[in-house]
Short mmCIF file of all heavy atoms in Angstrom, two decimals:
data_model
loop_
_atom_site.label_atom_id
_atom_site.label_comp_id
_atom_site.label_asym_id
_atom_site.label_seq_id
_atom_site.Cartn_x
_atom_site.Cartn_y
_atom_site.Cartn_z
N THR A 1 0.82 -1.27 0.04
CA THR A 1 -0.02 -0.03 0.02
C THR A 1 0.86 1.28 0.03
O THR A 1 0.47 2.32 -0.61
CB THR A 1 -0.91 0.00 1.17
OG1 THR A 1 -1.81 -1.19 1.15
CG2 THR A 1 -1.81 1.20 1.15
N THR A 2 1.96 1.12 0.71
CA THR A 2 2.87 2.35 0.64
C THR A 2 3.41 2.57 -0.64
O THR A 2 3.48 3.81 -1.11
CB THR A 2 4.17 2.06 1.67
OG1 THR A 2 3.70 2.07 2.99
CG2 THR A 2 5.21 3.16 1.58
N LEU A 3 3.80 1.60 -1.42
CA LEU A 3 4.20 1.75 -2.83
C LEU A 3 3.15 2.25 -3.75
O LEU A 3 3.39 3.09 -4.62
CB LEU A 3 4.76 0.38 -3.34
CG LEU A 3 6.07 -0.15 -2.65
CD1 LEU A 3 6.69 -1.30 -3.49
CD2 LEU A 3 7.16 1.00 -2.73
N GLN A 4 2.03 1.86 -3.53
CA GLN A 4 0.88 2.29 -4.39
C GLN A 4 0.55 3.79 -4.06
O GLN A 4 0.28 4.52 -5.05
CB GLN A 4 -0.37 1.47 -4.08
CG GLN A 4 -0.33 0.05 -4.68
CD GLN A 4 -1.59 -0.69 -4.39
OE1 GLN A 4 -2.66 -0.17 -4.17
NE2 GLN A 4 -1.51 -1.96 -4.53
N ARG A 5 0.70 4.25 -2.85
CA ARG A 5 0.57 5.56 -2.55
C ARG A 5 1.63 6.34 -3.34
O ARG A 5 1.42 7.63 -3.80
CB ARG A 5 0.63 5.90 -1.09
CG ARG A 5 -0.66 5.65 -0.24
CD ARG A 5 -0.63 6.14 1.18
NE ARG A 5 0.45 5.74 1.95
CZ ARG A 5 0.60 4.65 2.74
NH1 ARG A 5 -0.55 3.91 2.71
NH2 ARG A 5 1.61 4.26 3.47
N TYR A 6 2.88 5.90 -3.14
CA TYR A 6 4.00 6.52 -3.84
C TYR A 6 3.81 6.69 -5.34
O TYR A 6 4.12 7.80 -5.92
CB TYR A 6 5.33 5.73 -3.58
CG TYR A 6 6.60 6.40 -4.20
CD1 TYR A 6 7.27 7.27 -3.34
CD2 TYR A 6 6.96 6.11 -5.46
CE1 TYR A 6 8.41 7.87 -3.89
CE2 TYR A 6 8.14 6.72 -5.93
CZ TYR A 6 8.86 7.63 -5.11
OH TYR A 6 9.92 8.24 -5.64
N GLU A 7 3.36 5.70 -6.12
CA GLU A 7 3.08 5.67 -7.51
C GLU A 7 1.97 6.60 -7.83
O GLU A 7 2.14 7.39 -8.78
CB GLU A 7 2.69 4.24 -7.92
CG GLU A 7 3.87 3.24 -7.94
CD GLU A 7 3.43 1.87 -7.88
OE1 GLU A 7 2.20 1.51 -7.83
OE2 GLU A 7 4.38 0.91 -7.87
N ALA A 8 0.95 6.68 -7.00
CA ALA A 8 -0.15 7.68 -7.27
C ALA A 8 0.38 9.09 -7.23
O ALA A 8 0.02 9.93 -7.97
CB ALA A 8 -1.34 7.32 -6.25
N ARG A 9 1.21 9.30 -6.18
CA ARG A 9 1.72 10.63 -5.94
C ARG A 9 2.65 11.07 -7.08
O ARG A 9 2.59 12.16 -7.64
CB ARG A 9 2.53 10.77 -4.64
CG ARG A 9 1.63 10.74 -3.40
CD ARG A 9 2.22 10.42 -2.19
NE ARG A 9 1.36 10.45 -1.02
CZ ARG A 9 1.62 9.74 0.09
NH1 ARG A 9 2.75 9.19 0.24
NH2 ARG A 9 0.74 9.80 1.10
N LEU A 10 3.47 10.14 -7.52
CA LEU A 10 4.50 10.43 -8.67
C LEU A 10 3.71 10.58 -9.92
O LEU A 10 4.12 11.45 -10.57
CB LEU A 10 5.45 9.20 -8.77
CG LEU A 10 6.46 9.25 -9.82
CD1 LEU A 10 7.36 10.54 -9.73
CD2 LEU A 10 7.40 8.10 -9.90
N ALA A 11 2.65 9.80 -10.10
CA ALA A 11 1.84 10.08 -11.32
C ALA A 11 1.18 11.44 -11.34
O ALA A 11 1.16 12.09 -12.37
CB ALA A 11 0.80 9.00 -11.37
N ARG A 12 0.55 11.88 -10.25
CA ARG A 12 0.00 13.21 -10.12
C ARG A 12 1.08 14.25 -10.33
O ARG A 12 0.85 15.33 -11.05
CB ARG A 12 -0.72 13.43 -8.76
CG ARG A 12 -1.79 12.44 -8.58
CD ARG A 12 -2.71 12.79 -7.52
NE ARG A 12 -2.25 13.36 -6.32
CZ ARG A 12 -2.09 12.69 -5.07
NH1 ARG A 12 -2.49 11.30 -5.04
NH2 ARG A 12 -1.59 13.20 -3.99
N ALA A 13 2.29 14.06 -9.92
CA ALA A 13 3.22 15.24 -9.82
C ALA A 13 3.77 15.20 -11.28
O ALA A 13 3.90 16.31 -11.79
CB ALA A 13 4.35 14.84 -8.90
N LEU A 14 3.91 14.14 -11.96
CA LEU A 14 4.53 14.12 -13.38
C LEU A 14 3.36 14.60 -14.34
O LEU A 14 3.79 15.18 -15.24
CB LEU A 14 5.08 12.67 -13.72
CG LEU A 14 6.38 12.40 -12.98
CD1 LEU A 14 6.91 11.04 -13.45
CD2 LEU A 14 7.47 13.36 -13.21
N ALA A 15 2.11 14.33 -14.02
CA ALA A 15 1.04 14.84 -14.88
C ALA A 15 1.23 16.34 -14.96
O ALA A 15 0.90 16.87 -16.07
CB ALA A 15 -0.27 14.27 -14.41
N GLY A 16 1.42 17.05 -13.88
CA GLY A 16 1.62 18.40 -13.86
C GLY A 16 2.77 18.89 -14.81
O GLY A 16 2.63 19.88 -15.58
N VAL A 17 3.86 18.14 -14.89
CA VAL A 17 5.00 18.39 -15.69
C VAL A 17 4.52 18.15 -17.10
O VAL A 17 4.83 19.05 -18.04
CB VAL A 17 6.08 17.53 -15.39
CG1 VAL A 17 7.20 17.72 -16.35
CG2 VAL A 17 6.72 17.83 -14.00
N ILE A 18 3.84 17.18 -17.36
CA ILE A 18 3.42 17.01 -18.83
C ILE A 18 2.37 18.04 -19.27
O ILE A 18 2.61 18.54 -20.41
CB ILE A 18 2.73 15.53 -18.89
CG1 ILE A 18 3.77 14.38 -18.70
CG2 ILE A 18 2.08 15.24 -20.30
CD1 ILE A 18 3.18 13.11 -18.44
N ASN A 19 1.49 18.48 -18.47
CA ASN A 19 0.53 19.44 -18.87
C ASN A 19 1.24 20.89 -19.05
O ASN A 19 0.99 21.65 -19.95
CB ASN A 19 -0.50 19.73 -17.75
CG ASN A 19 -1.47 18.62 -17.68
OD1 ASN A 19 -1.73 17.93 -18.76
ND2 ASN A 19 -2.12 18.40 -16.55
N LEU A 20 2.38 21.05 -18.47
CA LEU A 20 3.12 22.40 -18.66
C LEU A 20 4.17 22.22 -19.72
O LEU A 20 4.30 23.27 -20.64
CB LEU A 20 3.74 22.84 -17.30
CG LEU A 20 2.93 23.43 -16.19
CD1 LEU A 20 3.78 23.48 -14.87
CD2 LEU A 20 2.43 24.76 -16.69
N LEU A 21 4.92 21.20 -19.68
CA LEU A 21 6.09 21.18 -20.58
C LEU A 21 5.99 20.13 -21.80
O LEU A 21 6.51 20.40 -22.89
CB LEU A 21 7.29 20.57 -19.80
CG LEU A 21 8.73 20.58 -20.32
CD1 LEU A 21 9.12 22.02 -20.75
CD2 LEU A 21 9.66 19.88 -19.36
N ASP A 22 4.95 19.25 -21.66
CA ASP A 22 4.75 18.22 -22.74
C ASP A 22 5.98 17.61 -23.26
O ASP A 22 6.24 17.62 -24.54
CB ASP A 22 3.82 18.83 -23.86
CG ASP A 22 3.26 17.80 -24.67
OD1 ASP A 22 3.05 16.73 -24.17
OD2 ASP A 22 2.64 18.09 -25.67
N PRO A 23 6.78 17.02 -22.39
CA PRO A 23 8.09 16.45 -22.83
C PRO A 23 7.94 15.16 -23.68
O PRO A 23 6.88 14.48 -23.52
CB PRO A 23 8.78 16.11 -21.58
CG PRO A 23 7.73 15.83 -20.52
CD PRO A 23 6.56 16.79 -20.97
N ASP A 24 8.81 14.95 -24.59
CA ASP A 24 8.93 13.73 -25.29
C ASP A 24 9.24 12.48 -24.38
O ASP A 24 8.66 11.48 -24.49
CB ASP A 24 9.94 13.78 -26.35
CG ASP A 24 9.64 14.86 -27.54
OD1 ASP A 24 8.66 14.62 -28.26
OD2 ASP A 24 10.35 15.81 -27.30
N VAL A 25 10.13 12.78 -23.44
CA VAL A 25 10.67 11.66 -22.68
C VAL A 25 10.78 12.30 -21.17
O VAL A 25 11.23 13.39 -20.99
CB VAL A 25 11.97 11.05 -23.09
CG1 VAL A 25 12.40 9.98 -22.20
CG2 VAL A 25 11.77 10.70 -24.48
N ILE A 26 10.41 11.50 -20.10
CA ILE A 26 10.75 11.73 -18.78
C ILE A 26 11.71 10.65 -18.38
O ILE A 26 11.42 9.53 -18.46
CB ILE A 26 9.53 11.66 -17.79
CG1 ILE A 26 8.68 12.90 -18.29
CG2 ILE A 26 9.97 11.89 -16.35
CD1 ILE A 26 7.32 12.99 -17.51
#
């Protein structure tokens, strides 16, 4: 469950990067 919380947070945080920067690769 700790890892699933981590993955959900990383996904939300990187989604913000994609919305702003729209990178080809992370």
Side-chain angles (χ1 to χ4, degrees):
T1 302
T2 294
L3 293 186
Q4 290 183 16
R5 284 194 302 272
Y6 185 90
E7 289 161 357
R9 290 163 178 158
L10 181 56
R12 297 194 320 255
L14 290 178
V17 172
I18 295 170
N19 284 335
L20 283 172
L21 189 61
D22 202 11
D24 298 286
V25 184
I26 296 175

